[in-house]
Amino acid sequence: GENVEQHPSTLSVQEGDSAVIKCTYSDSASNYFPWYKQELGKGPQLIIDIRSNVGEKKDQRIAVTLNKTAKHFSLHITETQPEDSAVYFCAASIGSNYQLIWGAGTKLIIKP
Amino acid sequence: DSGVTQTPKHLITATGQRVTLRCSPRSGDLSVYWYQQSLDQGLQFLIQYYNGEERAKGNILERFSAQQFPDLHSELNLSSLELGDSALYFCASSVAGIDTQYFGPGTRLTVL
């Protein structure tokens, strides 16, 4: 069946450095790719998303890139700050009703 | 605050029991999704409703059922509870079921 692989499972970076999280999806019909941030004890919060007609999208320190040919997309966070510490999930849509298939999550640790 | 509300926040019960989790979507959203998140695990999609009708089903056990009412709130019923059902249960909503999902704060279920 369809799946989304997310790497790495844990990422530790120095404050101020960049962080990159990568996801690979299997369904070539997927056309919507959101990224969510989940802080401890809270629900996931959408931070950025991209649709298949766009290759890159930026929002301040956060960017997402999509390579449809290779079926992978990545989250880039620049100038990381302590408040970026959280678990990040990628997802890819399947089917016409935008059901999401989720990656397993990446725990991002920002070291002071 | 996403605008999605879930009650109760915490629920502690015993094996074999039945519980009901409640979700109110954002104002104007017609679609509701239910997810299960076990400790340090990813998000498992359970079921989606759109305007009162079941739209998609994921890995939902037969002991679990859900419905969406005319006022668009939704309930997830979990019966014959087992220790392994202990998890965070999230509800998400979207406008038309084909767009961004906004998550509630979750209900933490503990089965003793």
Side-chain angles (χ1 to χ4, degrees):
Chain A
E2 296 86 358
N3 73 305
V4 173
E5 291 188 2
Q6 183 172 347
H7 298 282
S9 56
T10 304
L11 179 59
S12 183
V13 302
Q14 205 69 38
E15 182 179 348
D17 289 350
S18 295
V20 180
I21 302 170
K22 298 182 179 181
C23 289
T24 303
Y25 61 97
S26 59
D27 184 1
S28 56
S30 295
N31 58 8
Y32 174 62
F33 308 91
W35 284 90
Y36 283 80
K37 175 184 180 182
Q38 186 177 25
E39 296 175 336
L40 200 60
K42 296 186 177 181
Q45 179 184 11
L46 179 74
I47 55 171
I48 196 166
D49 58 11
I50 193 167
R51 298 184 188 270
S52 60
N53 57 346
V54 175
E56 183 176 0
K57 184 176 177 181
K58 280 186 182 178
D59 183 3
Q60 299 182 334
R61 297 185 297 108
I62 293 173
V64 56
T65 58
L66 171 64
N67 182 329
K68 284 224 78 180
T69 304
K71 290 194 281 188
H72 66 70
F73 56 113
S74 301
L75 177 71
H76 304 253
I77 305 174
T78 59
E79 301 173 11
T80 53
Q81 300 168 4
E83 53 265 35
D84 295 330
S85 293
V87 178
Y88 291 80
F89 291 98
C90 65
S93 65
I94 60 167
S96 58
N97 61 359
Y98 276 49
Q99 181 185 339
L100 295 177
I101 297 294
W102 295 80
T106 296
K107 183 173 184 178
L108 178 59
I109 300 165
I110 308 300
K111 297 181 288 186
Chain B
D1 184 0
S2 67
V4 179
T5 60
Q6 290 187 247
T7 56
K9 203 175 176 77
H10 301 278
L11 198 48
I12 301 174
T13 188
T15 54
Q17 295 298 303
R18 173 189 169 93
V19 296
T20 296
L21 313 183
R22 183 189 169 101
C23 168
S24 292
R26 295 186 320 155
S27 177
D29 284 1
L30 299 178
S31 196
V32 168
Y33 309 76
W34 285 99
Y35 291 88
Q36 179 192 57
Q37 185 177 42
S38 301
L39 187 64
D40 291 335
Q41 297 291 312
L43 290 155
Q44 293 294 319
F45 168 69
L46 296 178
I47 197 163
Q48 177 197 3
Y49 280 82
Y50 176 76
N51 205 18
E53 302 278 332
E54 181 185 304
R55 176 168 272 194
K57 222 168 187 175
N59 300 319
I60 188 165
L61 299 172
E62 284 193 14
R63 300 183 286 109
F64 297 180
S65 65
Q67 54 184 327
Q68 185 179 28
F69 295 86
D71 67 352
L72 300 177
H73 91 272
S74 179
E75 293 180 356
L76 179 67
N77 301 295
L78 315 176
S79 61
S80 303
L81 285 167
E82 302 175 358
L83 295 177
D85 297 328
S86 295
L88 271 167
Y89 290 84
F90 289 105
C91 165
S93 74
S94 70
V95 174
I98 57 169
D99 48 3
T100 301
Q101 295 180 29
Y102 295 90
F103 281 76
T107 293
R108 181 174 294 280
L109 173 67
T110 302
V111 182
L112 300 175

mmCIF file of all heavy atoms in Angstrom, chain A residues 42-84:
data_model
loop_
_atom_site.group_PDB
_atom_site.id
_atom_site.type_symbol
_atom_site.label_atom_id
_atom_site.label_comp_id
_atom_site.label_asym_id
_atom_site.label_seq_id
_atom_site.Cartn_x
_atom_site.Cartn_y
_atom_site.Cartn_z
ATOM 1 N N LYS A 42 0.639 18.682 22.801
ATOM 2 C CA LYS A 42 -0.282 19.464 21.964
ATOM 3 C C LYS A 42 -0.612 18.713 20.683
ATOM 4 O O LYS A 42 0.035 17.724 20.329
ATOM 5 C CB LYS A 42 0.340 20.821 21.617
ATOM 6 C CG LYS A 42 0.565 21.708 22.827
ATOM 7 C CD LYS A 42 1.050 23.075 22.394
ATOM 8 C CE LYS A 42 1.210 23.993 23.591
ATOM 9 N NZ LYS A 42 1.664 25.347 23.202
ATOM 10 N N GLY A 43 -1.615 19.213 19.984
ATOM 11 C CA GLY A 43 -1.960 18.641 18.698
ATOM 12 C C GLY A 43 -1.024 19.143 17.612
ATOM 13 O O GLY A 43 -0.415 20.204 17.752
ATOM 14 N N PRO A 44 -0.889 18.404 16.523
ATOM 15 C CA PRO A 44 -0.043 18.856 15.407
ATOM 16 C C PRO A 44 -0.565 20.174 14.835
ATOM 17 O O PRO A 44 -1.779 20.383 14.753
ATOM 18 C CB PRO A 44 -0.172 17.724 14.390
ATOM 19 C CG PRO A 44 -0.588 16.532 15.180
ATOM 20 C CD PRO A 44 -1.451 17.068 16.285
ATOM 21 N N GLN A 45 0.376 21.018 14.448
ATOM 22 C CA GLN A 45 0.029 22.321 13.881
ATOM 23 C C GLN A 45 0.671 22.445 12.512
ATOM 24 O O GLN A 45 1.885 22.214 12.370
ATOM 25 C CB GLN A 45 0.529 23.429 14.812
ATOM 26 C CG GLN A 45 0.250 24.833 14.322
ATOM 27 C CD GLN A 45 0.861 25.888 15.226
ATOM 28 O OE1 GLN A 45 1.654 25.587 16.107
ATOM 29 N NE2 GLN A 45 0.499 27.126 15.018
ATOM 30 N N LEU A 46 -0.125 22.812 11.517
ATOM 31 C CA LEU A 46 0.406 22.990 10.168
ATOM 32 C C LEU A 46 1.409 24.141 10.151
ATOM 33 O O LEU A 46 1.127 25.228 10.661
ATOM 34 C CB LEU A 46 -0.731 23.303 9.207
ATOM 35 C CG LEU A 46 -0.308 23.539 7.756
ATOM 36 C CD1 LEU A 46 0.060 22.208 7.086
ATOM 37 C CD2 LEU A 46 -1.413 24.239 6.972
ATOM 38 N N ILE A 47 2.594 23.893 9.588
ATOM 39 C CA ILE A 47 3.577 24.971 9.490
ATOM 40 C C ILE A 47 3.801 25.409 8.050
ATOM 41 O O ILE A 47 4.102 26.573 7.790
ATOM 42 C CB ILE A 47 4.925 24.594 10.149
ATOM 43 C CG1 ILE A 47 5.483 23.281 9.580
ATOM 44 C CG2 ILE A 47 4.778 24.507 11.654
ATOM 45 C CD1 ILE A 47 6.902 22.978 10.033
ATOM 46 N N ILE A 48 3.657 24.495 7.113
ATOM 47 C CA ILE A 48 3.798 24.846 5.710
ATOM 48 C C ILE A 48 3.281 23.682 4.884
ATOM 49 O O ILE A 48 3.290 22.538 5.344
ATOM 50 C CB ILE A 48 5.277 25.177 5.355
ATOM 51 C CG1 ILE A 48 5.373 25.916 4.018
ATOM 52 C CG2 ILE A 48 6.146 23.932 5.382
ATOM 53 C CD1 ILE A 48 6.739 26.554 3.771
ATOM 54 N N ASP A 49 2.798 23.967 3.697
ATOM 55 C CA ASP A 49 2.373 22.898 2.800
ATOM 56 C C ASP A 49 2.717 23.276 1.369
ATOM 57 O O ASP A 49 3.006 24.438 1.064
ATOM 58 C CB ASP A 49 0.882 22.578 2.951
ATOM 59 C CG ASP A 49 -0.023 23.793 2.704
ATOM 60 O OD1 ASP A 49 0.466 24.831 2.214
ATOM 61 O OD2 ASP A 49 -1.217 23.710 3.026
ATOM 62 N N ILE A 50 2.722 22.276 0.494
ATOM 63 C CA ILE A 50 3.051 22.516 -0.898
ATOM 64 C C ILE A 50 2.188 21.616 -1.764
ATOM 65 O O ILE A 50 1.844 20.504 -1.369
ATOM 66 C CB ILE A 50 4.566 22.287 -1.165
ATOM 67 C CG1 ILE A 50 4.971 22.836 -2.531
ATOM 68 C CG2 ILE A 50 4.941 20.818 -1.011
ATOM 69 C CD1 ILE A 50 6.483 22.915 -2.711
ATOM 70 N N ARG A 51 1.824 22.129 -2.916
ATOM 71 C CA ARG A 51 1.025 21.335 -3.850
ATOM 72 C C ARG A 51 1.889 20.979 -5.049
ATOM 73 O O ARG A 51 2.909 21.613 -5.307
ATOM 74 C CB ARG A 51 -0.231 22.101 -4.251
ATOM 75 C CG ARG A 51 -1.109 22.369 -3.041
ATOM 76 C CD ARG A 51 -2.427 23.033 -3.333
ATOM 77 N NE ARG A 51 -3.073 23.407 -2.075
ATOM 78 C CZ ARG A 51 -3.897 22.625 -1.394
ATOM 79 N NH1 ARG A 51 -4.204 21.428 -1.845
ATOM 80 N NH2 ARG A 51 -4.436 23.026 -0.248
ATOM 81 N N SER A 52 1.455 19.994 -5.806
ATOM 82 C CA SER A 52 2.337 19.386 -6.797
ATOM 83 C C SER A 52 2.655 20.285 -7.983
ATOM 84 O O SER A 52 3.528 19.964 -8.774
ATOM 85 C CB SER A 52 1.744 18.076 -7.304
ATOM 86 O OG SER A 52 0.482 18.326 -7.904
ATOM 87 N N ASN A 53 1.977 21.393 -8.116
ATOM 88 C CA ASN A 53 2.284 22.294 -9.224
ATOM 89 C C ASN A 53 3.346 23.321 -8.848
ATOM 90 O O ASN A 53 3.634 24.239 -9.616
ATOM 91 C CB ASN A 53 1.007 22.997 -9.711
ATOM 92 C CG ASN A 53 0.319 23.759 -8.592
ATOM 93 O OD1 ASN A 53 0.631 23.568 -7.410
ATOM 94 N ND2 ASN A 53 -0.605 24.628 -8.948
ATOM 95 N N VAL A 54 3.921 23.154 -7.661
ATOM 96 C CA VAL A 54 4.934 24.094 -7.168
ATOM 97 C C VAL A 54 6.161 23.291 -6.735
ATOM 98 O O VAL A 54 6.036 22.224 -6.150
ATOM 99 C CB VAL A 54 4.384 24.896 -5.971
ATOM 100 C CG1 VAL A 54 5.453 25.783 -5.369
ATOM 101 C CG2 VAL A 54 3.190 25.719 -6.403
ATOM 102 N N GLY A 55 7.363 23.807 -7.016
ATOM 103 C CA GLY A 55 8.574 23.087 -6.659
ATOM 104 C C GLY A 55 9.142 23.492 -5.313
ATOM 105 O O GLY A 55 9.827 22.714 -4.664
ATOM 106 N N GLU A 56 8.860 24.740 -4.902
ATOM 107 C CA GLU A 56 9.417 25.240 -3.646
ATOM 108 C C GLU A 56 8.481 26.299 -3.072
ATOM 109 O O GLU A 56 7.844 27.050 -3.810
ATOM 110 C CB GLU A 56 10.806 25.831 -3.869
ATOM 111 C CG GLU A 56 11.480 26.309 -2.591
ATOM 112 C CD GLU A 56 12.899 26.808 -2.817
ATOM 113 O OE1 GLU A 56 13.359 26.791 -3.967
ATOM 114 O OE2 GLU A 56 13.540 27.198 -1.828
ATOM 115 N N LYS A 57 8.446 26.334 -1.751
ATOM 116 C CA LYS A 57 7.638 27.346 -1.076
ATOM 117 C C LYS A 57 8.366 27.782 0.172
ATOM 118 O O LYS A 57 8.933 26.932 0.881
ATOM 119 C CB LYS A 57 6.260 26.765 -0.733
ATOM 120 C CG LYS A 57 5.285 27.754 -0.121
ATOM 121 C CD LYS A 57 3.942 27.057 0.074
ATOM 122 C CE LYS A 57 2.924 27.962 0.748
ATOM 123 N NZ LYS A 57 1.625 27.250 0.944
ATOM 124 N N LYS A 58 8.357 29.092 0.442
ATOM 125 C CA LYS A 58 9.069 29.617 1.610
ATOM 126 C C LYS A 58 8.140 30.432 2.487
ATOM 127 O O LYS A 58 7.230 31.100 1.993
ATOM 128 C CB LYS A 58 10.221 30.515 1.160
ATOM 129 C CG LYS A 58 11.461 29.806 0.724
ATOM 130 C CD LYS A 58 12.573 30.813 0.432
ATOM 131 C CE LYS A 58 13.829 30.101 -0.049
ATOM 132 N NZ LYS A 58 14.912 31.050 -0.381
ATOM 133 N N ASP A 59 8.413 30.360 3.780
ATOM 134 C CA ASP A 59 7.695 31.204 4.729
ATOM 135 C C ASP A 59 8.676 31.560 5.834
ATOM 136 O O ASP A 59 8.915 30.785 6.746
ATOM 137 C CB ASP A 59 6.476 30.471 5.304
ATOM 138 C CG ASP A 59 5.667 31.357 6.242
ATOM 139 O OD1 ASP A 59 6.012 32.549 6.402
ATOM 140 O OD2 ASP A 59 4.691 30.852 6.826
ATOM 141 N N GLN A 60 9.287 32.700 5.702
ATOM 142 C CA GLN A 60 10.296 33.192 6.649
ATOM 143 C C GLN A 60 11.433 32.182 6.751
ATOM 144 O O GLN A 60 12.144 31.942 5.776
ATOM 145 C CB GLN A 60 9.636 33.505 7.997
ATOM 146 C CG GLN A 60 8.567 34.584 7.881
ATOM 147 C CD GLN A 60 7.942 34.952 9.215
ATOM 148 O OE1 GLN A 60 7.901 34.168 10.164
ATOM 149 N NE2 GLN A 60 7.436 36.169 9.305
ATOM 150 N N ARG A 61 11.641 31.560 7.914
ATOM 151 C CA ARG A 61 12.784 30.649 8.084
ATOM 152 C C ARG A 61 12.495 29.226 7.611
ATOM 153 O O ARG A 61 13.359 28.356 7.669
ATOM 154 C CB ARG A 61 13.190 30.598 9.561
ATOM 155 C CG ARG A 61 13.682 31.908 10.126
ATOM 156 C CD ARG A 61 14.182 31.735 11.562
ATOM 157 N NE ARG A 61 13.138 31.305 12.482
ATOM 158 C CZ ARG A 61 13.066 30.091 13.012
ATOM 159 N NH1 ARG A 61 13.972 29.159 12.718
ATOM 160 N NH2 ARG A 61 12.088 29.791 13.862
ATOM 161 N N ILE A 62 11.293 28.981 7.153
ATOM 162 C CA ILE A 62 10.883 27.631 6.771
ATOM 163 C C ILE A 62 10.673 27.552 5.264
ATOM 164 O O ILE A 62 10.093 28.479 4.671
ATOM 165 C CB ILE A 62 9.591 27.251 7.508
ATOM 166 C CG1 ILE A 62 9.853 27.134 9.003
ATOM 167 C CG2 ILE A 62 9.021 25.937 6.979
ATOM 168 C CD1 ILE A 62 8.599 26.933 9.825
ATOM 169 N N ALA A 63 11.139 26.465 4.669
ATOM 170 C CA ALA A 63 10.932 26.242 3.244
ATOM 171 C C ALA A 63 10.666 24.757 3.014
ATOM 172 O O ALA A 63 11.124 23.902 3.769
ATOM 173 C CB ALA A 63 12.147 26.688 2.437
ATOM 174 N N VAL A 64 9.904 24.481 1.980
ATOM 175 C CA VAL A 64 9.661 23.100 1.584
ATOM 176 C C VAL A 64 9.972 22.987 0.101
ATOM 177 O O VAL A 64 9.649 23.884 -0.685
ATOM 178 C CB VAL A 64 8.213 22.647 1.896
ATOM 179 C CG1 VAL A 64 7.197 23.558 1.247
ATOM 180 C CG2 VAL A 64 7.993 21.203 1.483
ATOM 181 N N THR A 65 10.653 21.900 -0.272
ATOM 182 C CA THR A 65 10.943 21.639 -1.676
ATOM 183 C C THR A 65 10.304 20.319 -2.073
ATOM 184 O O THR A 65 10.186 19.406 -1.250
ATOM 185 C CB THR A 65 12.455 21.578 -1.934
ATOM 186 O OG1 THR A 65 13.018 20.553 -1.105
ATOM 187 C CG2 THR A 65 13.126 22.904 -1.605
ATOM 188 N N LEU A 66 9.893 20.220 -3.313
ATOM 189 C CA LEU A 66 9.222 19.027 -3.812
ATOM 190 C C LEU A 66 9.852 18.587 -5.119
ATOM 191 O O LEU A 66 10.030 19.401 -6.028
ATOM 192 C CB LEU A 66 7.732 19.328 -4.034
ATOM 193 C CG LEU A 66 6.898 18.256 -4.746
ATOM 194 C CD1 LEU A 66 6.830 16.988 -3.903
ATOM 195 C CD2 LEU A 66 5.500 18.785 -5.039
ATOM 196 N N ASN A 67 10.189 17.316 -5.209
ATOM 197 C CA ASN A 67 10.706 16.729 -6.434
ATOM 198 C C ASN A 67 9.747 15.608 -6.815
ATOM 199 O O ASN A 67 9.822 14.502 -6.275
ATOM 200 C CB ASN A 67 12.125 16.187 -6.231
ATOM 201 C CG ASN A 67 12.721 15.615 -7.502
ATOM 202 O OD1 ASN A 67 12.017 15.087 -8.361
ATOM 203 N ND2 ASN A 67 14.029 15.742 -7.631
ATOM 204 N N LYS A 68 8.826 15.903 -7.727
ATOM 205 C CA LYS A 68 7.792 14.915 -8.078
ATOM 206 C C LYS A 68 8.369 13.725 -8.836
ATOM 207 O O LYS A 68 7.877 12.615 -8.713
ATOM 208 C CB LYS A 68 6.689 15.583 -8.901
ATOM 209 C CG LYS A 68 5.741 16.431 -8.094
ATOM 210 C CD LYS A 68 4.304 16.207 -8.481
ATOM 211 C CE LYS A 68 3.720 14.931 -7.903
ATOM 212 N NZ LYS A 68 2.321 14.714 -8.295
ATOM 213 N N THR A 69 9.403 13.962 -9.600
ATOM 214 C CA THR A 69 10.005 12.874 -10.372
ATOM 215 C C THR A 69 10.584 11.825 -9.422
ATOM 216 O O THR A 69 10.392 10.625 -9.609
ATOM 217 C CB THR A 69 11.105 13.414 -11.297
ATOM 218 O OG1 THR A 69 10.542 14.425 -12.133
ATOM 219 C CG2 THR A 69 11.694 12.301 -12.140
ATOM 220 N N ALA A 70 11.282 12.296 -8.411
ATOM 221 C CA ALA A 70 11.912 11.399 -7.447
ATOM 222 C C ALA A 70 10.949 11.021 -6.326
ATOM 223 O O ALA A 70 11.276 10.176 -5.491
ATOM 224 C CB ALA A 70 13.160 12.048 -6.874
ATOM 225 N N LYS A 71 9.804 11.661 -6.274
ATOM 226 C CA LYS A 71 8.804 11.425 -5.229
ATOM 227 C C LYS A 71 9.384 11.663 -3.845
ATOM 228 O O LYS A 71 9.249 10.824 -2.935
ATOM 229 C CB LYS A 71 8.190 10.028 -5.358
ATOM 230 C CG LYS A 71 7.293 9.911 -6.595
ATOM 231 C CD LYS A 71 6.419 8.671 -6.582
ATOM 232 C CE LYS A 71 7.193 7.459 -6.983
ATOM 233 N NZ LYS A 71 6.352 6.261 -7.163
ATOM 234 N N HIS A 72 10.024 12.824 -3.686
ATOM 235 C CA HIS A 72 10.427 13.187 -2.341
ATOM 236 C C HIS A 72 10.279 14.686 -2.118
ATOM 237 O O HIS A 72 10.282 15.484 -3.062
ATOM 238 C CB HIS A 72 11.807 12.670 -1.977
ATOM 239 C CG HIS A 72 12.949 13.254 -2.731
ATOM 240 N ND1 HIS A 72 13.383 14.550 -2.573
ATOM 241 C CD2 HIS A 72 13.783 12.703 -3.637
ATOM 242 C CE1 HIS A 72 14.425 14.774 -3.350
ATOM 243 N NE2 HIS A 72 14.683 13.677 -4.012
ATOM 244 N N PHE A 73 10.113 15.039 -0.856
ATOM 245 C CA PHE A 73 9.967 16.435 -0.464
ATOM 246 C C PHE A 73 10.684 16.637 0.865
ATOM 247 O O PHE A 73 10.873 15.690 1.627
ATOM 248 C CB PHE A 73 8.494 16.862 -0.403
ATOM 249 C CG PHE A 73 7.609 16.047 0.495
ATOM 250 C CD1 PHE A 73 7.068 16.614 1.646
ATOM 251 C CD2 PHE A 73 7.282 14.738 0.193
ATOM 252 C CE1 PHE A 73 6.229 15.887 2.474
ATOM 253 C CE2 PHE A 73 6.445 14.006 1.011
ATOM 254 C CZ PHE A 73 5.915 14.578 2.160
ATOM 255 N N SER A 74 11.137 17.862 1.081
ATOM 256 C CA SER A 74 11.976 18.149 2.241
ATOM 257 C C SER A 74 11.543 19.428 2.929
ATOM 258 O O SER A 74 11.056 20.358 2.287
ATOM 259 C CB SER A 74 13.440 18.305 1.805
ATOM 260 O OG SER A 74 13.921 17.142 1.182
ATOM 261 N N LEU A 75 11.780 19.450 4.230
ATOM 262 C CA LEU A 75 11.535 20.638 5.051
ATOM 263 C C LEU A 75 12.891 21.224 5.436
ATOM 264 O O LEU A 75 13.773 20.493 5.904
ATOM 265 C CB LEU A 75 10.748 20.270 6.302
ATOM 266 C CG LEU A 75 10.485 21.402 7.292
ATOM 267 C CD1 LEU A 75 9.458 22.384 6.722
ATOM 268 C CD2 LEU A 75 9.996 20.855 8.639
ATOM 269 N N HIS A 76 13.055 22.513 5.228
ATOM 270 C CA HIS A 76 14.289 23.202 5.568
ATOM 271 C C HIS A 76 13.964 24.289 6.586
ATOM 272 O O HIS A 76 13.088 25.131 6.334
ATOM 273 C CB HIS A 76 14.905 23.849 4.326
ATOM 274 C CG HIS A 76 15.154 22.899 3.198
ATOM 275 N ND1 HIS A 76 16.407 22.465 2.842
ATOM 276 C CD2 HIS A 76 14.302 22.281 2.349
ATOM 277 C CE1 HIS A 76 16.317 21.633 1.818
ATOM 278 N NE2 HIS A 76 15.039 21.501 1.498
ATOM 279 N N ILE A 77 14.671 24.266 7.702
ATOM 280 C CA ILE A 77 14.520 25.317 8.708
ATOM 281 C C ILE A 77 15.880 25.984 8.863
ATOM 282 O O ILE A 77 16.878 25.311 9.172
ATOM 283 C CB ILE A 77 14.067 24.756 10.070
ATOM 284 C CG1 ILE A 77 12.780 23.942 9.910
ATOM 285 C CG2 ILE A 77 13.847 25.900 11.067
ATOM 286 C CD1 ILE A 77 12.341 23.234 11.193
ATOM 287 N N THR A 78 15.935 27.262 8.614
ATOM 288 C CA THR A 78 17.201 27.999 8.747
ATOM 289 C C THR A 78 17.230 28.764 10.070
ATOM 290 O O THR A 78 16.183 29.004 10.682
ATOM 291 C CB THR A 78 17.380 28.986 7.584
ATOM 292 O OG1 THR A 78 16.275 29.908 7.591
ATOM 293 C CG2 THR A 78 17.426 28.267 6.244
ATOM 294 N N GLU A 79 18.441 29.109 10.493
ATOM 295 C CA GLU A 79 18.633 29.905 11.726
ATOM 296 C C GLU A 79 17.788 29.351 12.867
ATOM 297 O O GLU A 79 16.984 30.067 13.478
ATOM 298 C CB GLU A 79 18.275 31.368 11.462
ATOM 299 C CG GLU A 79 19.116 32.003 10.366
ATOM 300 C CD GLU A 79 18.628 33.399 9.993
ATOM 301 O OE1 GLU A 79 17.782 33.966 10.713
ATOM 302 O OE2 GLU A 79 19.083 33.906 8.956
ATOM 303 N N THR A 80 17.990 28.079 13.153
ATOM 304 C CA THR A 80 17.144 27.408 14.147
ATOM 305 C C THR A 80 17.212 28.080 15.514
ATOM 306 O O THR A 80 18.253 28.617 15.922
ATOM 307 C CB THR A 80 17.533 25.928 14.281
ATOM 308 O OG1 THR A 80 18.944 25.842 14.534
ATOM 309 C CG2 THR A 80 17.165 25.154 13.044
ATOM 310 N N GLN A 81 16.074 28.035 16.199
ATOM 311 C CA GLN A 81 15.929 28.647 17.519
ATOM 312 C C GLN A 81 15.416 27.596 18.497
ATOM 313 O O GLN A 81 14.844 26.585 18.070
ATOM 314 C CB GLN A 81 14.953 29.821 17.418
ATOM 315 C CG GLN A 81 15.416 30.896 16.452
ATOM 316 C CD GLN A 81 14.347 31.913 16.129
ATOM 317 O OE1 GLN A 81 13.240 31.893 16.665
ATOM 318 N NE2 GLN A 81 14.674 32.840 15.230
ATOM 319 N N PRO A 82 15.584 27.815 19.797
ATOM 320 C CA PRO A 82 15.122 26.815 20.781
ATOM 321 C C PRO A 82 13.656 26.435 20.614
ATOM 322 O O PRO A 82 13.292 25.263 20.790
ATOM 323 C CB PRO A 82 15.367 27.523 22.126
ATOM 324 C CG PRO A 82 16.494 28.446 21.850
ATOM 325 C CD PRO A 82 16.299 28.934 20.434
ATOM 326 N N GLU A 83 12.824 27.388 20.218
ATOM 327 C CA GLU A 83 11.395 27.091 20.068
ATOM 328 C C GLU A 83 11.085 26.213 18.852
ATOM 329 O O GLU A 83 9.938 25.785 18.669
ATOM 330 C CB GLU A 83 10.566 28.379 19.996
ATOM 331 C CG GLU A 83 11.027 29.354 18.951
ATOM 332 C CD GLU A 83 11.969 30.405 19.523
ATOM 333 O OE1 GLU A 83 12.759 30.087 20.438
ATOM 334 O OE2 GLU A 83 11.906 31.565 19.040
ATOM 335 N N ASP A 84 12.099 25.934 18.036
ATOM 336 C CA ASP A 84 11.903 24.995 16.924
ATOM 337 C C ASP A 84 11.954 23.550 17.400
ATOM 338 O O ASP A 84 11.594 22.633 16.642
ATOM 339 C CB ASP A 84 12.967 25.203 15.841
ATOM 340 C CG ASP A 84 12.861 26.562 15.166
ATOM 341 O OD1 ASP A 84 11.723 27.092 15.075
ATOM 342 O OD2 ASP A 84 13.897 27.101 14.742
#
